[in-house]
Amino acid sequence: MRDDDEDVQRWVSDSLCEHRLVRNEQRLRTRTPESRAFAERVQVVMGLTSRLNMLPFDDLDARRAVLTEIFGKPIPDSLSILPPFYCDYGLGASFGERVFINQGCFFLDYGGITIGDRVLIGPRVTLSTAGHPVELDERYDFITHAPIVIEDEVWIGAAATITPGVTIGRGSVVGAGAVVAKDVPPLSVVTATSVVERKRLKPASTADA
């Protein structure tokens, strides 16, 4: 059996295992100066994406200027992002060469999104690096975040969702509508969605009620 085939079988087998913590997950405590700075940046980027999505489609120079503001640095000349495009932070995203991002995509990039060369991202794809703890007693006290890495020559199909901490290996394909919560090995094709009960949560504490 080839190494790539073994990697795919391991990916499928691991998806049936007990839920594990998100790799490289970090926490931002709410109601702190750091969380307020994050919230202020989100407001800025919401305004910028609104401006971006109202521009005439053929005004390429204006679109590039706004995208540079959103991402906080110059973007590659070969990067193509079709509006509408939605982003909540901007400063965590970086792009390789010849990246194509179709219409209606959502980047929640506070945890960091790294996109390699020659990546194709279909319409309505969501890359989400942030969330909240699952336990009720912690859910409103922290923002959790972990980086997403999309390696070279990956193709992500329409309406797929990539969750925090995931790496999509070089040359792989994520099928339309897939929800990817685990690393995808290089040169693999993954598809489908499912609801799998991973754990049972504890009731919320009544101390603050």
Side-chain angles (χ1 to χ4, degrees), residues 83-177:
F85 172 75
Y86 305 95
C87 184
D88 73 338
Y89 185 66
L91 303 181
S94 64
F95 304 91
E97 296 294 331
R98 296 176 60 189
V99 171
F100 175 78
I101 299 170
N102 214 320
Q103 294 176 307
C105 290
F106 291 80
F107 282 23
L108 285 71
D109 66 300
Y110 180 67
I113 294 174
T114 302
I115 298 178
D117 296 334
R118 298 176 300 281
V119 169
L120 303 174
I121 298 180
R124 297 187 294 113
V125 166
T126 297
L127 306 181
S128 178
T129 68
H132 296 272
V134 296
E135 296 296 343
L136 288 174
D137 284 340
E138 301 178 321
R139 191 169 299 171
Y140 304 101
D141 294 330
F142 297 95
I143 297 170
T144 59
H145 55 95
I148 290 173
V149 176
I150 300 173
E151 296 182 351
D152 295 346
E153 298 178 324
V154 165
W155 177 18
I156 301 178
T161 297
I162 314 300
T163 64
V166 166
T167 294
I168 310 295
R170 178 184 60 84
S172 289
V173 176
V174 175

Side-chain angles (χ1 to χ4, degrees), residues 3-117:
D3 290 342
D4 291 341
D5 293 335
E6 291 176 349
D7 286 340
V8 173
Q9 285 197 351
R10 190 176 303 115
W11 185 89
V12 173
S13 175
D14 286 349
S15 69
L16 302 177
C17 295
E18 185 68 19
H19 175 72
R20 287 171 282 182
L21 291 174
V22 173
R23 189 183 58 191
N24 298 324
E25 182 178 271
Q26 299 183 51
R27 291 185 170 195
L28 173 67
R29 183 175 286 278
T30 58
R31 299 180 294 279
T32 63
E34 292 77 14
S35 66
R36 285 192 287 272
F38 168 66
E40 290 169 1
R41 174 64 187 173
V42 169
Q43 293 298 312
V44 169
V45 175
M46 291 293 184
L48 290 170
T49 54
S50 294
R51 282 172 45 195
L52 173 73
N53 295 331
M54 289 170 50
L55 290 170
F57 182 77
D58 58 357
D59 194 344
L60 300 182
D61 290 340
R63 280 166 49 193
R64 180 165 293 274
V66 176
L67 286 168
T68 298
E69 289 189 72
I70 289 172
F71 298 122
K73 55 185 175 293
I75 58 176
D77 291 339
S78 60
L79 173 65
S80 180
I81 298 179
L82 300 188
F85 172 75
Y86 305 95
C87 184
D88 73 338
Y89 185 66
L91 303 181
S94 64
F95 304 91
E97 296 294 331
R98 296 176 60 189
V99 171
F100 175 78
I101 299 170
N102 214 320
Q103 294 176 307
C105 290
F106 291 80
F107 282 23
L108 285 71
D109 66 300
Y110 180 67
I113 294 174
T114 302
I115 298 178
D117 296 334

